[in-house]
Amino acid sequence: LPSNETSSDSFKYVDDMSAAESRHVSTAPRIQDDINGLAQWTETNYMALNASKCKVIVFCFARNPPPQPVITIGPSQLEVVHSARVLGVILQHNLKWTEHVNTVVGKGSKRL
């Protein structure tokens, strides 16, 4: 997807892509427009997005966080998760490292 067609940041590695939007809580989310554009681009280029492999994670530290945005690909609503693996690193919605550290320690313990 050409970068000049999106309002959000995108990070690509081989066949993975992450889209990110940074905004004030009072500002309406625009990432759905970018997802729609990505879906259109993939369709035009004879590819398809697999909605079951796409996840939404929200990082928000406001005292009164806004409602979770509903992000869809076609008719499929994307699952909102509290943690996600990105290039081998587990990111948590609260930016803590407990899940990642526990996973790494668990793998190390199995090898001893």
Side-chain angles (χ1 to χ4, degrees), residues 18-65:
S18 298
E21 177 182 58
S22 177
R23 65 182 177 86
H24 191 272
V25 293
S26 63
T27 306
R30 298 182 316 218
I31 199 159
Q32 181 64 60
D33 295 334
D34 294 338
I35 299 298
N36 293 342
L38 177 63
Q40 180 64 41
W41 184 86
T42 57
E43 190 175 306
T44 301
N45 289 282
Y46 306 103
M47 296 182 278
L49 294 174
N50 186 346
S52 66
K53 290 186 174 184
C54 299
K55 308 288 183 230
V56 175
I57 186 167
V58 177
F59 304 100
C60 181
F61 299 102
R63 288 185 186 179
N64 298 316

Side-chain angles (χ1 to χ4, degrees), residues 23 25 37 44-45 52 54 65 70 73-75 78 85 89 98 100 110:
R23 65 182 177 86
V25 293
T44 301
N45 289 282
S52 66
C54 299
V70 176
I73 294 177
L78 301 185
R85 183 180 298 271
V89 177
T98 51
H100 181 73
K110 288 179 184 178

